[in-house]
Amino acid sequence: MNQSPTSPPRLLDAGDGGLVVEFGSDVDEAVNRRVVALDRALTEHPVQGVRETVPTYRSLLVLFDPLAIGRDALARHILALDHGEDDAAGGAHWRVPVRYGGEHGVDLEAVAKLHGLSTEELIAIHSGALYRVYMIGFAPGFAYLGGLPEAIHTSRRTDPRPKTPPRSVSIGGRQAAVSPPLEVPSGWHLLGQTPVRSYDPARAEPFLFAPGDTLGFYPVGADEYDDMLAAAQRGEVVAERLASNAEPRP
C-alpha cells in the first residue's frame, strides 16, 4: 500500500504492547520528518503508560503498558498529536572528522575505481554532502544516513564481513552510515574511520546522534586523527556540534 507523505498514518499492532505508526512505504525525507515530529510531540506531550518510542525511516514504534493505557486510547492520543507537519525545529548539526582510506577505509580505492573516480574525488564528493540521520539501529549508536550523492551510490558487497572496524564510515546502496565504537558485521563499503564515538555508555547521554540531526564529514590527516582518537578515549566528544538554528555546513 503506497502512502503519500502527507496522508494520515497507518496504525499497526506490534503485539499487545506495541503500536507502529507508519507514515509511508519508502525511504523519504518528508516521511522521516513526520516520524521525528511525532516522536518529539510524544516527548513534549507524554501520556501515562508509554514506555519507549523507537523512530525508524518511515514509522514510529510506540511501546506501551496495556495495563496503564488501552490501545484505542493511545491511538487517539497519537492521532491528535499528528498534524501532518515535519520536524520544523530541526535537530543538531554535527561536523564529523574522518580518516579516509588505507587501513582506516579498505574499500576506498575499489569504490573510487568502480565509479571512475580518483580517491581524492571520491573523498571530495563524500565529504561535500549534507547527511540526515534517519534512524539509530542495528547496533548501539549505529547511525543510518540519507543524503549520499547519487554519483557514488554503490550496491552493497556480495560478501559481507563478519567484523568491521569500530567507528567505520561506510556506504551501501544510497545510504551512508557511522558505526559505533564496536566491531559489527557489515556488507557496506568502508571508506574511512572517525575518532568520534557515536555511542559511549559512560556519557550522560550515551547516544551522540539522534534522528533528525544532520551531519557533514571532513577529512583529517594521520596525526590529527590520532590526537582526536586519544581525546575521544578520554571522554571528549570530538565532533563539533552546531545548534539546530545554525546554518548547516558539511
Side-chain angles (χ1 to χ4, degrees):
M1 175 180 176
N2 292 326
Q3 290 174 261
S4 163
T6 58
S7 63
R10 298 174 66 205
L11 300 182
L12 307 171
D13 293 318
D16 61 1
L19 193 61
V20 175
V21 188
E22 185 181 85
F23 289 97
S25 55
D26 299 314
V27 176
D28 180 270
E29 182 173 340
V31 168
N32 187 252
R33 285 181 176 276
R34 287 187 66 190
V35 172
V36 174
L38 179 60
D39 189 38
R40 288 183 177 147
L42 280 168
T43 300
E44 294 168 0
H45 304 280
V47 60
Q48 184 177 0
V50 171
R51 290 171 164 165
E52 185 180 5
T53 56
V54 184
T56 73
Y57 277 103
R58 58 191 183 89
S59 64
L60 182 70
L61 171 62
V62 182
L63 299 173
F64 65 96
D65 179 358
L67 298 179
I69 186 171
R71 186 263 191 201
D72 292 342
L74 177 59
R76 288 193 297 271
H77 182 76
I78 288 171
L79 292 175
L81 289 177
D82 174 47
H83 302 295
E85 299 172 353
D86 64 17
D87 58 325
H93 178 68
W94 300 91
R95 297 189 68 241
V96 177
V98 181
R99 179 63 177 153
Y100 286 96
E103 63 178 343
H104 300 286
V106 295
D107 297 322
L108 182 74
E109 291 188 10
V111 173
K113 183 177 181 181
L114 177 67
H115 293 287
L117 302 168
S118 67
T119 55
E120 291 78 11
E121 289 170 329
L122 175 57
I123 291 169
I125 293 171
H126 182 265
S127 63
L130 181 67
Y131 298 89
R132 175 181 175 84
V133 180
Y134 275 92
M135 61 176 283
I136 305 296
F138 172 62
F142 189 99
Y144 287 89
L145 311 177
L148 183 69
E150 187 175 357
I152 56 173
H153 286 185
T154 309
S155 297
R156 299 185 188 189
R157 293 172 55 87
T158 57
D159 54 337
R161 296 179 173 103
K163 289 184 179 181
T164 56
R167 308 178 317 282
S168 286
V169 174
S170 58
I171 62 173
R174 55 184 177 136
Q175 303 171 86
V178 179
S179 293
L182 305 167
E183 291 184 328
V184 297
S186 178
W188 295 32
H189 302 274
L190 310 178
L191 302 188
Q193 269 181 301
T194 179
V196 175
R197 302 171 70 89
S198 62
Y199 168 71
D200 187 343
R203 288 195 300 247
E205 175 49 63
F207 300 108
L208 190 63
F209 308 129
D213 287 357
T214 57
L215 63 83
F217 298 110
Y218 67 96
V220 294
D223 291 343
E224 188 175 6
Y225 174 83
D226 290 342
D227 290 344
M228 287 181 166
L229 184 59
Q233 290 170 340
R234 294 193 299 269
E236 297 181 28
V237 171
V238 178
E240 179 186 1
R241 185 186 190 278
L242 304 181
S244 59
N245 60 357
E247 185 66 27
R249 54 193 171 99

